[in-house]
Amino acid sequence: VTTLNLGYGNKIGVEGQIALAKALEKNNSITSLDLGCNEIGVEGGIALAKALERNNSVISLKIGHGNKTLKI
């Protein structure tokens, strides 16, 4: 799996965001991650940011609304 699309209101919540962050710390195959429209809050955002500091494979991240994608 190189693309993970959890966008458009999957409502993964804070617990899901933290679990995803823990998985991303160890994953080296996902290159594209879509979390758009999931209302990422402070706690989940911090966990994801820390995980992405350790993850070298994710190069495309969508976290907002619309078609805006961040290339890392």
Side-chain angles (χ1 to χ4, degrees), residues 3-70:
T3 299
L4 182 57
N5 185 343
L6 298 174
Y8 299 101
N10 280 300
K11 299 179 183 177
I12 60 175
V14 174
E15 290 179 11
Q17 294 163 21
I18 292 171
L20 176 61
K22 288 179 182 179
L24 284 172
E25 287 180 7
K26 300 173 185 174
N27 181 283
N28 61 5
S29 64
I30 294 175
T31 59
S32 178
L33 179 59
D34 183 346
L35 298 173
C37 301
N38 271 296
E39 299 178 6
I40 295 174
V42 173
E43 189 176 357
I46 290 171
L48 289 165
K50 287 180 179 180
L52 290 171
E53 284 179 341
R54 295 179 186 96
N55 178 294
N56 294 322
S57 64
V58 175
I59 57 172
S60 177
L61 173 64
K62 182 176 179 182
I63 57 172
H65 297 285
N67 293 323
K68 296 177 182 164
T69 301
L70 175 64

